[in-house]
Structure formats: structure tokens, C-alpha cells
Amino acid sequence: MDLKALKAQESKRKISKGYMWALFCAVFWGIWYLPGTVVWVLNPFDEMYGEIAGASGDAVSLVVTAVLITAFNALTVMLALMLWNGVLGKFGELGRTLKEFHPCSKWFFLASIFGGPVAILGSFMAMGFIGGAFAAVAALLYPVIGSVLAYYWYGEKISKRAATGIIIIILGGITIFGGGVITELAAGGVPWIGYLGGLMAAAGWGIEGAIAGKGLDISEPDVGLTLRFLGENIIWWIIIVPILAIVGYPMYSFAFQAFEPLTLLVLIFAGITFGFCYVCWYKSFPLIGVGRGQGIGNLYGLCAIIFIFLFFGDVPAWTILVGGTLCVIGSFVMFTEETAALETLRGE
Amino acid sequence: MGKNRPIKFRILELYLDGEEHWNYEIVPKIQEEYGMKDNFHRDSINFDILELASGGMLKDVEQKVDEEGIYKKGFLLHKYVITDFGRVRGSDACIRYM
């Protein structure tokens, strides 16, 4: 076969594999909102919520319960990623990368602060108080935060096309948040803490992406992501959960009750879907470019709505549908620039 | 530097000489150094090079067909050179050894 034909064949192979990984990411990410929503009604979290709400009020109870759920999510993601690294034979590389604190691990641990206690906790808060579909589409605003940060931190240019995409996404965001708030204002109380959770998800993931990129580009993503979740587990299990326990919340007694078959199954399901959506996301980048990878990955918003409809029979409010569609369109506009143009933007 | 540093650091370090290198020269060298002989690891190391290239740290400058099967018969071979961005990231990461 001649050079030209082989080149075409190679690029075709890369593109189809890249789109496959990106689609897997969107599906896994979308599915994650199922266990994320279900876990709230399972014991011990259901009981925990009730017990703390009785003593400290709904808002505090929601956040404290979300902390324990997020901590378990981090644990099961870590298990899934360790298994993945074991299968790939990457434990050696894991150790080598962990030791590189200055160029690598530092960034992963910093990223885990924004990914865990901000983004994932926020997502669980939004799922618990408003619903999975809202939590999913609210987080679609993350590319806006990410590119604004990259502009201020690394002086990365925001092209005209990206700016157009950002405006469309913001319009989508206004529809999702504004629409929801107006409906609920009319109905009485607004669950502000759920909306705060939605904003935390978007801001946290935007910041996490901007920081994690600094360590991930010179390490292997399978390994880097595992370290990022190692950081998150340290934050939850060594810092926040013990602090909450010392303050007087019954963290450990409920944590031990989580070892029930059904609860464990749902948590493991959450860990597998969430862990692999990250892995797939990063696998797609070298094959189709970061832009297209993120653009396709963002279809998770629609996947989540579809899965929630299929499994729970919930049809989301029209504001979520319209806003979510705007966000997905916006992210496509933003990310489908020529990869070559993106590379030179970054390299110079 | 050798086998106690992450693989991508080592790949960048090899390219930091500023010369163009073929992937069939770099991959077996890494396999040798890290004791990763099988084909699965060969492809995994090659994917690391792909990632470095897509991150803008290496540039794909030449391709040829692997006629004799020096690397993977019938597939494309790629020749890369480090970019300015790769030089900055690479020397930042490898700084204590420079």
C-alpha cells in the first residue's frame, strides 16, 4: 500500500476510535446521574438526611449527606481506576508519577480540590435537591469557566468562534437557571442550595480542567486521573469526614451502614461510570483533538436526560431541554475549531 | 534519568536533544529501559508519543511505510521533533537532571 493510502487509513482509524472513546465518555457520564440520583433515597443516606435535618435543618443536612455520598463516590471511582491500571499494567508508572510532586502530582491534588469538594459535591447537591436532569445540564456551563480561566492564567486566546460558543452556552445557562428559579418562585420556596450546587459543578469542573491539564499533558492520563482521585479520597476521608465527625455529625455510624448490598451496588455503579467517563474522555483527546473530544463528551447532558427519562420516567421542564440544547450547540461551536489552529494557539 | 521517572518525561528527554527521531527508534529504547517487552506495551508507549504530539509538545514531521517490518509491518512510521512548547514543558519537568 502506498504512503498516501496508508495515511488516509491511519487517520480514519484514529478518528473513528477517537469518536468512539468520546461517545463512551458521554454515555458513562450521562449514566452516572442515575446512581447519583438513586443513592439519595437509599439507606443509610435517606435515614442520615432525615436524622440530621431534624437536628440542624434541611440545608445543613443536605450538604452533610452530600459529603458522605461524594466521599463514597470518590472511593468507588478510585477502586474502578485501580482495577483499570492493574489491567493495563500501569502500577509502576503510577508510582513513578506520584513521586513527581513538582511537575505532576501537585497539579493533580490541586485539581482534586476543585473537582471533588466543589464540582462533584455540587452535582450531588443539585441531584438531591432539584434533580438529575438539572444537575447534568447545569454543569454544561463548565467550558465557559474553563476558557475564561485559561485566558487569564495562560493568556490563551479566545477566538471569535469560541466567544460565539460561550455566548450561546451562557444563554443556555440563563434558560436553565432562570427558568427553574422563576417557576419555583411562582410555586413558593426556591431550593437555592440546589442551584448553588449546579453553579459549583460548572465552576469546579471548569477550574479542575484548567489545573489538571498542567500535569496531565506530561503524564499518562490513566495514571494522572487515578492520582487526582487519590487526592480527592484524602480530602474526604482524611480531612472533611473526620472534621464533620468531630463537629458532631454521625458520619462514621452512617458510613458503616453503607455496606449493604443494594447501596454498595449503586455506589459501585457510580464509581465505574464516573471513573471510566474520565478515562474515555482523555483517551479521545490525542485521537480527535481536545476540542472535538470535549464537544462530543458534552453530549452527556442529553444522554443524562434520556437515561433519566428511560429509567425514572421523568420528563424535565422545557427550560432544561431548551437550555441543555443551547449548551450542547454552544460547546460544539466552541470546540469544533480546526485542531491545528488550537495547537498553534497553545504552542506559541 | 532512566527508569525511575514517568515514561513521558523520558520520551521528552530523548527529544530534548532537538534532533528528529522516528517512533521505531524511541519506542524500543523505552521498552528496553523500562523492561516492557510485549506488544501491548509497545502500543501503549506509542500512544504516549501520540499524546505528546496532540498536546503540541512534539511535531510529526515525516512519515514512511514500514515495508520491512522494522516496527509494525504495513503500518506507518512517524518521525517527530520537539516543539518550543515541548522544550519548555520538557525542561521544566526534567529540570533537576539538566
Side-chain angles (χ1 to χ4, degrees), chain A residues 144-165:
Chain A
V144 176
I145 315 272
S147 50
V148 170
L149 281 179
Y151 175 76
Y152 281 109
W153 286 351
Y154 321 132
E156 229 168 70
K157 293 191 190 90
I158 296 180
S159 63
K160 236 187 202 161
R161 201 183 162 110
T164 316

Side-chain angles (χ1 to χ4, degrees), chain B:
Chain B
M1 181 141 98
K3 73 172 285 191
N4 47 12
R5 305 212 75 198
I7 290 169
K8 280 194 182 174
F9 286 31
R10 181 66 184 136
I11 296 173
L12 277 179
E13 193 190 44
L14 290 172
Y15 278 100
L16 270 173
D17 64 4
E19 304 287 321
E20 299 175 350
H21 299 284
W22 287 96
N23 63 336
Y24 66 80
E25 297 164 341
I26 298 293
V27 173
K29 200 171 159 64
I30 300 278
Q31 279 184 287
E32 180 70 42
E33 285 182 10
Y34 287 77
M36 296 163 48
K37 303 268 187 245
D38 53 296
N39 286 350
F40 175 75
H41 281 110
R42 176 195 65 194
D43 293 343
S44 154
I45 296 164
N46 196 53
F47 200 78
D48 284 339
I49 298 180
L50 269 179
E51 282 179 343
L52 288 169
S54 85
M57 283 173 272
L58 298 177
K59 199 171 135 198
D60 191 349
V61 282
E62 199 186 324
Q63 302 84 30
K64 67 179 181 193
V65 184
D66 188 357
E67 309 271 15
E68 305 103 64
I70 34 174
Y71 180 69
K72 258 173 119 170
K73 198 176 162 77
F75 281 81
L76 273 186
L77 299 164
H78 293 265
K79 194 191 213 175
Y80 299 91
V81 69
I82 199 158
T83 63
D84 288 342
F85 179 62
R87 212 177 273 282
V88 173
R89 294 292 282 137
S91 25
D92 188 30
C94 308
I95 197 134
R96 46 188 155 128
Y97 294 89
M98 305 251 317

